[in-house]
């Protein structure tokens, strides 16, 4: 359906000769409908990165907590706002998994501060354990700390789902866990769920992200900071198309199954090479090369580009991340690694 819109829009002058809607109300309405939440709980941005920046500028926290390693955009935006950053070091020995010692780091924050947590985490791809995530939500709510949960890669995983309080649903608890659907319903004032169309739907150049929160005042103020006409008509139409596509739910479930199968196959094959592979629940894999190869340079000779992770905190030289691709592309990567490391390694 996305390809059809792109194909049909290419020659229509209204997509490039007219201004887009000043604020994407139709996208907001479609997101509300497909997520079964009220539209006044949604804020839309030019990708998730713009929303990260807008949230930080609006909240203006004195202190912020970040996992280490994590997505670098949080750090960049916080430094621009001159917030003091506390880094919570994740253990390499435990696959960079978030553990209960995160609570002691949260305790260093005060009311009005902010904590960014990504599940699954970037760059290692591991989900935050459900019980620990619940603990973080409750602790931040009680202390008045803004908890931004980045779920940009969550739909790639065969695990829990998260949503803010659903429309017409009344619960007294802060968090309701529907065990049948393995779905988390959050009824808090300090939690923000951050997501994007970029990752799951493979449209990184069509910049459009969104966030959900039960804090209506927070959303209202976020929307005041929205720059009018900043999201193109084409990007808005694509977002609406995705939300209204009746096959979307099944497509997401199929994606989870395929990614799980291909990732596990790829990890199994990669483990035969001189690489330290870190567990992942997402559509990417973090590893450390234990040889003396310049892996970036060598793979580029075969038209393969991988992510150099040396600039992530706690990682450094010889850490790389690869995407889980289709069977043909995964097979090609493995065949090149055989050439680089020698047949005996595989």
């Amino acid at each position: 359906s996305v390809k059809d819109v792109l194909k049909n829009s290419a020659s229509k002058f209204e997509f490039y000769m007219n201004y887009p809607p000043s604020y994407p109300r139709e996208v907001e309405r479609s997101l509300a409908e497909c997520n079964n939440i009220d539209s006044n709980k949604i804020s839309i941005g030019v990708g998730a990165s713009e929303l990260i920046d807008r949230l930080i500028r609006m909240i203006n926290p004195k202190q912020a907590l970040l996992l280490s390693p994590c997505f670098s955009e949080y750090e960049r935006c916080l430094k621009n706002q001159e917030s003091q950053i506390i880094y919570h070091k994740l253990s390499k020995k435990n696959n960079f998994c978030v553990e209960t010692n995160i609570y002691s780091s949260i305790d260093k924050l005060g009311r009005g501060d902010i904590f960014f947590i990504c599940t699954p985490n970037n760059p290692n791809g591991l989900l935050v354990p459900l019980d620990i995530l619940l603990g973080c939500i409750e602790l931040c709510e009680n202390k008045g700390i803004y908890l931004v949960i980045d779920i940009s890669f969550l739909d790639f995983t065969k695990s829990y789902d998260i949503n803010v309080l659903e429309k017409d649903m009344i619960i007294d608890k802060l968090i309701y866990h529907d065990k049948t659907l393995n779905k988390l319903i959050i009824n808090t004032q300090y939690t923000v769920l951050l997501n994007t169309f970029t990752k799951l739907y493979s449209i990184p150049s069509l910049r459009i992200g969104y966030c959900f929160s039960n804090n209506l005042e927070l959303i209202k103020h976020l929307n005041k900071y929205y720059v009018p006409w900043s999201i193109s008509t084409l990007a808005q139409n694509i977002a609406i198309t995705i939300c209204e596509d009746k096959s979307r739910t099944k497509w997401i479930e199929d994606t989870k199954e395929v990614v799980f199968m291909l990732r596990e196959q790829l990890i199994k094959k990669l483990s035969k090479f001189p690489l330290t592979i870190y567990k992942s629940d997402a559509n990417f894999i973090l590893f450390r090369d234990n040889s003396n190869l310049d892996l970036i340079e060598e793979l580029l000779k075969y038209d393969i580009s991988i992510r150099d992770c040396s600039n992530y905190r706690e990682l450094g030289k010889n850490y790389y991340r690869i995407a889980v691709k289709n069977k043909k592309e995964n097979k090609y990567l493995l065949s090149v690694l055989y050439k680089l490391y020698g047949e005996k390694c595989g």
Side-chain angles (χ1 to χ4, degrees), residues 188-247:
T188 63
Q189 289 298 299
Y190 284 90
T191 306
V192 179
L193 301 183
L194 181 68
N195 209 338
T196 178
F197 288 94
T198 296
K199 308 296 191 301
L200 184 65
Y201 303 107
S202 302
I203 50 170
S205 67
L206 297 172
R207 307 299 300 148
I208 187 159
Y210 52 95
C211 67
F212 301 142
S213 179
N214 288 310
N215 190 327
L216 303 186
E217 281 301 308
L218 175 75
I219 294 296
K220 186 178 177 181
H221 280 90
L222 261 181
N223 290 342
K224 283 182 180 179
Y225 281 87
Y226 177 84
V227 178
W229 312 291
S230 58
I231 299 176
S232 71
T233 304
L234 183 58
Q236 292 189 40
N237 277 24
I238 292 294
I240 293 166
T241 299
I242 288 169
C243 290
E244 295 182 351
D245 192 320
K246 292 180 181 178
S247 66

Side-chain angles (χ1 to χ4, degrees), residues 2 25-26 78 147 163 190 202 248 292 335 339 341:
V2 168
R25 292 290 176 199
E26 283 302 302
L78 286 163
L147 175 63
N163 208 345
Y190 284 90
S202 302
R248 185 179 64 91
N292 294 318
S335 69
K339 291 178 182 179
Y341 291 116

